[in-house]
Amino acid sequence: CRGAVRLMWMVERETRSSVSITAFTTLPGGTIRHAWALDVEIASGALAGRHRLIYLLDRGGKPLGSRLGREDEFRLLAAMHGAGVRVPRPYWQLGQGLILERVEGEVVGRRLLRDRAYEGVRPRLLEQFGAELARIHAVPPDAVPGLPGPTGRGAARAQLDEIERELREGGEPHPALDLALRWLRPRTPATERVVIVHGDYRLGNAVVDPERGLAAVLDWELAHLGDGGEDLGWMCLRYWGGVDYPGEPTLGPWERFLDGYAAASGRRLTPELARYWQVFAHFRWGVIMLRQARRHLEGVERNIELAAIGRRRAEVEWDLLRLLEEG
């Protein structure tokens, strides 16, 4: 196809070698970008040989205003890869697209929870996710100059301000989200340590190998500087299917994920902070769901997946109200 030919020309320009694409397959790319798997033969130079790659191209939408540009995301991936974090090796940044190493394994959460092939790794996945997040947060922020996001002890408050601005842009009343915001405001913690926040760290944004378990962390386009509690709380959402909810056993309790993080980092959330970041995660996801639904309803991008995300916002608001009542 013309897309594959154009991509081949771009790779030839980067490698200064003749290139042949031996396979080119469309992959599910999520609501933010398109994705293709490709096998490439490079004739000469430092990268001579066969490479199994993935090509990611922007779809144009964004769930929040702080989304990374492609150049920044490429630099971030290079820094994480160099620090030993389990990420795909970045090859090239081409216009609005990225070409990365294709890490083999499973990314679909429901398959990881049900398929017999993953029975051996399921019991240790939450601890692996926690330990890998600790490694991400250990990478110094100055390793990637220019990352967006708040710094200093007011980082958590600044992030809450950004999400509130996104909520107000819609111009509609959302009582459950407003109630959560009223709960969060007076409880916003001072940030003791600013880290590189992944921004979407969860089951579904990682590759899992049936033998090794966690093989690679994906989808870094929402990375920013901030409070590491954001990533810790994000993992607890019922929507991702990674941690247990009453009547819905999955990989195990959220506390097992926190244990893995604490064992690797030496840092553990207090019960008060754990509750805050749980509520924050549900509030943030509810606002993102509204924005995704508006992309569909306003005709920016007609997409049934975006519409379904908006429809399921009520589930997140229900969990949010439960958390507020318990808190």
Side-chain angles (χ1 to χ4, degrees):
C1 68
R2 286 183 295 177
V5 171
R6 183 170 179 272
L7 187 58
M8 182 181 69
W9 289 341
M10 290 191 290
V11 174
E12 286 182 335
R13 184 185 61 201
E14 294 291 331
T15 61
R16 299 182 180 180
S17 167
S18 61
V19 169
S20 60
I21 295 180
T22 58
F24 191 78
T25 307
T26 302
L27 297 174
T31 60
I32 297 177
R33 52 194 178 184
H34 303 288
W36 293 268
L38 60 152
D39 293 345
V40 171
E41 292 279 356
I42 300 175
S44 60
L47 293 174
R50 184 170 180 263
H51 299 267
R52 297 169 64 81
L53 306 173
I54 186 166
Y55 178 50
L56 303 172
L57 183 66
D58 283 358
R59 288 174 60 167
K62 57 182 180 179
L64 285 174
S66 59
R67 183 179 169 198
L68 281 186
R70 280 292 162 255
E71 290 184 6
D72 289 334
E73 186 178 356
F74 185 85
R75 290 190 301 109
L76 174 60
L77 284 167
M80 289 291 169
H81 189 265
V85 175
R86 289 182 244 195
V87 299
R89 174 188 172 184
Y91 278 73
W92 307 287
Q93 188 259 320
L94 304 174
Q96 292 302 305
L98 295 177
I99 294 186
L100 313 175
E101 170 193 11
R102 190 165 85 244
V103 180
E104 301 300 334
E106 184 57 74
V107 297
V108 179
R110 65 179 180 275
R111 294 177 188 160
L112 294 172
L113 296 173
R114 298 172 185 173
D115 287 4
R116 295 184 62 183
Y118 299 94
E119 286 180 350
V121 299
R122 274 197 288 266
R124 64 178 189 269
L125 267 181
L126 284 179
E127 286 88 351
Q128 285 186 324
F129 268 91
E132 196 64 25
L133 183 60
R135 280 188 279 273
I136 292 168
H137 289 173
V139 176
D142 58 11
V144 192
L147 279 182
T151 60
R153 292 177 62 82
R157 183 170 297 279
Q159 190 65 15
L160 186 62
D161 290 343
E162 178 187 339
I163 300 169
E164 182 182 6
R165 286 193 294 271
E166 298 284 346
L167 174 63
R168 301 306 177 207
E169 279 185 7
E172 299 174 339
H174 295 282
L177 298 178
D178 283 325
L179 183 63
L181 183 62
R182 289 172 60 185
W183 187 94
L184 288 164
R185 277 288 175 206
R187 295 169 174 83
T188 306
T191 297
E192 299 297 328
R193 184 174 70 111
V194 172
V195 301
I196 297 176
V197 176
H198 179 278
D200 200 9
Y201 193 80
R202 58 177 174 85
L203 197 68
N205 278 345
V207 180
V208 176
D209 180 86
E211 300 294 331
R212 296 177 292 139
L214 181 61
V217 179
L218 309 177
D219 294 341
W220 290 78
E221 64 268 14
L222 295 182
H224 58 276
L225 300 181
D227 193 306
E230 289 184 55
D231 281 336
L232 289 165
W234 197 244
M235 189 75 173
C236 80
L237 286 162
R238 182 202 302 258
Y239 201 90
W240 316 135
V243 300
D244 292 351
Y245 268 78
E248 298 179 31
T250 55
L251 291 177
W254 183 49
E255 288 73 19
R256 191 184 296 171
F257 167 68
L258 299 180
D259 289 344
Y261 182 86
S265 69
R267 295 180 174 86
R268 181 181 291 277
L269 293 178
T270 64
E272 292 78 17
L273 283 176
R275 176 67 60 176
Y276 177 87
W277 289 114
Q278 282 182 300
V279 174
F280 180 94
H282 285 77
F283 173 68
R284 177 175 181 251
W285 180 224
V287 173
I288 290 175
M289 294 173 100
L290 283 172
R291 182 161 189 156
Q292 300 289 58
R294 285 202 299 269
R295 281 168 58 193
H296 170 77
L297 293 172
E298 294 172 1
V300 175
E301 182 183 358
R302 290 290 186 179
N303 182 286
I304 190 64
E305 185 177 1
L306 296 177
I309 287 174
R311 183 176 177 85
R312 292 191 63 184
R313 191 191 75 251
E315 300 173 24
V316 176
E317 291 180 335
W318 176 264
D319 285 337
L320 183 53
L321 292 173
R322 178 184 55 79
L323 283 170
L324 293 175
E325 183 178 36
E326 291 174 358

